[in-house]
Amino acid sequence: MRMSKPVVLTGLRANNELHVGNYFGALLPMIDMARERSSDYQINLFVPDLHSFTTPIDHSRLHQQILHNVRLYVAAGLPLDNSDIYVYRQSYISAHSELTWILDCFTGFGEMSRMTQFKDKSTKLGESRISVGLFNYPVLMAADIVLYDASYIPVGDDQTQHLEFTRDIAERFNNQFGQIFTVPLPVPKQHEFFGKDQGLRIRDLIDPTKKMSKSDDTGRGVIFLGDDPAVAAKKIMSATTDSYGEIKYDIQDRPGVSNLLQMLSLLTGEPLDAVIAEWEGKNSYGDLKKATAAAMADFLTGFQARLAAVDDQTLIAKLEQSEKILRETANATLLRAQKAVGLRA
Ligand code: ATP
Ligand code: MG
């Protein structure tokens, strides 16, 4: 069964608690996109649970984390009653794993070795903790995409090389076996489609020269979506600023203060320009921190209330319904590939 509307596919890896950077930089745009585009596109939102442990994690928490991530989608505004939006768990559709193996055998060792994400992540991990899964997860990602004939995949810069690889392997397979896979659109077309500026980067509160990151060791400069609002406000109050003594928006020279302005804008929904106009030239960093801290506490209080109100039964019913439908699509693609390589008549 080929779907008739063009497919947009996206997901968010569940390997740790998400922070406000993930929320404003990835989760919220993803949910907004799904809502805005669902009349013209089929939206596939998935939890890439098989991708969760390409790097070591606490496996006793994974199962909860998977469901928790879907709850986060809902708290961020995902409607569960929209039949053009599919929400599913990757590992519940076994074709992902099965197609990956087939594609693995058409993937060059050399081409995987050139993936910069692998190089970056493996340098950080150290030899003994680098898995073959980390090495070939781009192949799993290619399977995630081609199984549903997806055309549009909104990914950040760190994933563009993998998207290019997906195109390569789909074309390679098609050249050898005929029209088996839909090739996703090239990266510039993706950017055009999403009109995107994937450039938003919330900074770490302690070291504002680097971005807020979930795998930060201390978490002191990171505000997690599950943080107690009062604790989060305190983190903002002790954020690193600068010694200029005057508020100015300048990410390069004054990353700490600029980060506060940026967060204030996102948290209140006021355009950044307006926030800058209101604060620039003032001298009290304390006031800016207080305003940002209060906005953060309000946001977290509201978000956590929405999260607590998510009904698990409705959520699981939605997942199971999506998985049932998409399993058929995925299996049909898998069968085309199995026939192509001679596994099926
Ligand atoms: P890790 O430390 O495990 O790499 P991370 O916090 O960098 O975690 P990712 O899982 O790499 O998060 O990214 C998830 C999504 O969140 C991506 O789309 C990424 O662009 C976005 N994102 C990550 N950090 C930030 C940030 N500080 N500001 C805005 N967006 C962010
Ligand atoms: Mg990252």
Side-chain angles (χ1 to χ4, degrees):
M1 179 178 69
R2 291 248 192 167
M3 298 283 173
S4 45
K5 291 200 274 184
V7 176
V8 180
L9 179 140
T10 184
L12 208 51
R13 200 161 79 109
N15 65 334
N16 212 334
E17 173 95 65
L18 298 188
H19 51 73
V20 292
N22 299 138
Y23 180 82
F24 288 109
L27 181 57
L28 192 59
M30 171 173 108
I31 301 302
D32 286 347
M33 180 279 296
R35 290 164 50 153
E36 285 160 21
R37 305 275 191 159
S38 65
S39 46
D40 300 317
Y41 297 88
Q42 176 189 320
I43 313 288
N44 282 19
L45 289 187
F46 76 117
V47 180
D49 53 359
L50 295 170
H51 287 281
S52 293
F53 48 99
T54 52
T55 52
I57 59 159
D58 175 358
H59 287 273
S60 68
R61 295 184 53 214
L62 179 60
H63 187 72
Q64 264 313 304
Q65 195 88 54
I66 292 165
L67 222 52
H68 183 67
N69 266 38
V70 191
R71 288 190 201 105
L72 293 177
Y73 294 3
V74 178
L78 173 72
L80 290 177
D81 57 358
N82 181 331
S83 60
D84 295 304
I85 304 178
Y86 294 85
V87 193
Y88 58 104
R89 295 159 291 188
Q90 181 189 32
S91 73
Y92 284 69
I93 301 179
S94 59
H96 289 256
S97 302
E98 295 179 67
L99 183 60
T100 299
W101 178 256
I102 295 177
L103 296 183
D104 265 341
C105 298
F106 292 85
T107 301
F109 183 80
E111 73 184 324
M112 280 302 99
S113 309
R114 286 191 292 277
M115 295 293 161
T116 56
Q117 278 290 304
F118 175 71
K119 288 189 211 164
D120 290 355
K121 287 238 153 78
S122 55
T123 324
K124 280 186 206 145
L125 277 172
E127 183 92 47
S128 64
R129 297 167 72 208
I130 306 168
S131 68
V132 175
L134 179 65
F135 182 70
N136 82 340
Y137 90 81
V139 185
L140 176 58
M141 183 171 155
D144 298 338
I145 294 169
V146 299
L147 276 175
Y148 305 99
D149 300 302
S151 303
Y152 297 101
I153 302 96
V155 290
D157 291 346
D158 54 344
Q159 298 298 319
T160 45
Q161 200 183 13
H162 300 159
L163 187 53
E164 299 284 11
F165 165 72
T166 302
R167 286 172 47 76
D168 288 347
I169 187 131
E171 277 167 0
R172 185 178 311 157
F173 211 84
N174 287 350
N175 285 340
Q176 187 168 349
F177 299 110
Q179 192 56 42
I180 309 292
F181 299 131
T182 300
V183 182
L185 287 151
V187 171
K189 286 264 180 255
Q190 303 271 349
H191 287 194
E192 215 173 276
F193 179 78
F194 293 104
K196 92 169 119 203
D197 147 29
Q198 291 255 320
L200 176 71
R201 282 290 173 262
I202 302 284
R203 306 305 181 100
D204 184 90
L205 297 171
I206 304 293
D207 177 1
T209 60
K210 61 174 203 188
K211 77 170 196 76
M212 208 177 258
S213 173
K214 337 187 191 79
S215 45
D216 180 82
D217 295 331
T218 69
R220 281 196 310 138
V222 181
I223 294 182
F224 292 100
L225 292 173
D227 275 357
D228 180 305
V231 173
K234 281 205 190 95
K235 287 184 184 173
I236 302 248
M237 292 310 292
S238 49
T240 304
T241 49
D242 56 55
S243 51
Y244 288 105
E246 188 186 294
I247 295 169
K248 190 170 189 300
Y249 187 80
D250 180 342
I251 286 281
Q252 285 312 313
D253 270 0
R254 308 177 188 204
V257 166
S258 304
N259 194 35
L260 292 172
L261 292 166
Q262 175 85 264
M263 283 191 290
L264 188 55
S265 156
L266 292 166
L267 292 163
T268 58
E270 242 188 282
L272 182 59
D273 288 350
V275 173
I276 294 173
E278 186 187 337
W279 289 91
E280 228 168 37
K282 291 187 178 163
N283 311 97
S284 173
Y285 290 178
D287 287 348
L288 176 60
K289 283 184 177 179
K290 271 186 214 148
T292 312
M296 184 64 80
D298 280 354
F299 161 73
L300 288 177
T301 305
F303 183 79
Q304 289 167 9
R306 290 198 298 281
L307 192 61
V310 175
D311 175 40
D312 276 2
Q313 241 171 325
T314 317
L315 187 97
I316 291 169
K318 172 71 178 182
L319 287 168
E320 288 177 349
Q321 184 200 33
S322 297
E323 284 155 7
K324 187 162 181 269
I325 297 169
L326 291 187
R327 200 171 283 130
E328 286 187 31
T329 315
N331 284 342
T333 310
L334 176 64
L335 184 61
R336 293 202 299 275
Q338 288 171 326
K339 284 181 177 166
V341 300
L343 288 169
R344 297 287 184 277

